[in-house]
Amino acid sequence: MTTKRGALLVLEGCDRAGKSTQVQKLVTELNARGISAEVRRFPDRTTEVGKIIDKYLSRVVDLPPETVHLLFSSNRWEKYTEMRKTILSGTTLVVDRYAASGAAYTAATTGKDLSWCKEPDRGLAKPDLVALLEISEDVQASRANWGSERFERSELQQKVSSSLHQLMDESWVTVDANDDIDKVHAKLLALALSAIEMVKDKPLGELYDSKPL
Ligand code: DGP
């Protein structure tokens, strides 16, 4: 019997939408159900590129926005081979931010068009499901440590949200993340279980076209 592949599941959304909590809860629940699943997150601040990104986000260094854009993308490429191998070997990855954040944050901070912003991520593994966690401005501002990092400003976050909406395709769903943690988790779990089942015999796609790898 051939190995069924895992799914590439991505949680996107503005800052403080609860993505990290939900990613962790989802993987714990999938594992409890006997499904092999692991967390990944971007930016991955542990890699060499990630360390520069971390300094940029915490305002230790300043860099031109184009450079920052390529650093974030290259951070995802650093993980490409390992992620693809893991998925094809049967493990589902639940990812806290991915290419859509890359395009949306740069579009929002620079005004560059989305096609320019998407280009460096072309060829990365395509998510089977992107769940867009949406929160109100009030809920966002009330969450712990709001405003401590570079992009945490309400007017910028609104632009990010609008760019994320423009990136939606048939693999995306929106989830109301103003609800309590357990309700959001239940919705995400249902979506994840159905995506895992649906894609297990399908090839892993490629961003930003649908050519199978
Ligand atoms: P997080 O660790 O998820 O809180 O993300 C840190 C910040 O970096 C957050 O404000 C969103 C932003 N961000 C995440 N991914 C990207 C990206 O690929 N490009 C840009 N420009 N910003 C990103």
Side-chain angles (χ1 to χ4, degrees):
M1 204 181 76
T2 51
T3 313
K4 307 287 184 193
R5 78 160 170 97
L8 178 53
L9 311 178
V10 174
L11 268 56
E12 286 285 3
C14 292
D15 291 67
R16 312 290 155 165
K19 296 178 298 300
S20 308
T21 306
Q22 293 296 341
V23 160
Q24 195 55 61
K25 275 178 83 71
L26 191 49
V27 165
T28 303
E29 181 58 30
L30 292 173
N31 290 163
R33 290 169 180 246
I35 298 169
S36 173
E38 295 176 9
V39 171
R40 295 290 183 278
R41 73 171 302 185
F42 292 106
D44 179 340
R45 303 184 195 216
T46 65
T47 68
E48 289 309 311
V49 172
K51 286 175 196 161
I52 308 174
I53 293 173
D54 185 48
K55 284 189 192 159
Y56 169 78
L57 287 171
S58 51
R59 300 189 176 92
V60 174
V61 295
D62 272 321
L63 294 165
E66 294 81 0
T67 306
V68 171
H69 186 63
L70 296 176
L71 285 174
F72 274 104
S73 178
S74 108
N75 188 230
R76 289 182 282 276
W77 281 107
E78 282 182 292
K79 293 285 175 179
Y80 164 72
T81 305
E82 178 273 322
M83 284 175 62
R84 186 165 180 270
K85 213 169 127 195
T86 304
I87 293 166
L88 294 182
S89 74
T91 295
T92 285
L93 294 183
V94 184
V95 188
D96 180 353
R97 295 192 185 280
Y98 192 57
S101 278
Y105 277 80
T106 298
T109 50
T110 66
K112 284 189 186 294
D113 64 77
L114 278 172
S115 63
W116 186 94
C117 297
K118 284 160 76 174
E119 204 50 38
D121 286 325
R122 182 181 296 281
L124 283 173
K126 179 175 169 37
D128 297 300
L129 171 74
V130 181
L132 177 57
L133 270 54
E134 299 196 293
I135 47 165
S136 71
E137 238 184 281
D138 293 348
V139 171
Q140 184 178 48
S142 71
R143 295 211 163 152
N145 301 322
W146 169 248
S148 60
E149 275 200 339
R150 196 179 276 264
F151 296 143
E152 295 179 351
R153 304 191 310 274
S154 289
E155 74 287 0
L156 176 59
Q157 296 287 324
Q158 276 166 29
K159 287 189 193 165
V160 170
S161 172
S162 143
S163 297
L164 285 171
H165 276 266
Q166 288 175 58
L167 289 163
M168 291 184 82
D169 67 13
E170 71 296 336
S171 63
W172 288 53
V173 289
T174 55
V175 173
D176 180 356
N178 296 300
D179 267 346
D180 74 62
I181 289 181
D182 290 330
K183 276 195 193 155
V184 176
H185 169 66
K187 282 186 207 160
L188 291 172
L189 178 62
L191 289 166
L193 291 171
S194 120
I196 291 167
E197 188 55 30
M198 271 184 44
V199 305
K200 64 185 185 197
D201 294 312
K202 292 190 179 156
L204 183 59
E206 189 178 274
L207 284 177
Y208 276 105
D209 52 40
S210 50
K211 226 179 14 173
L213 286 176

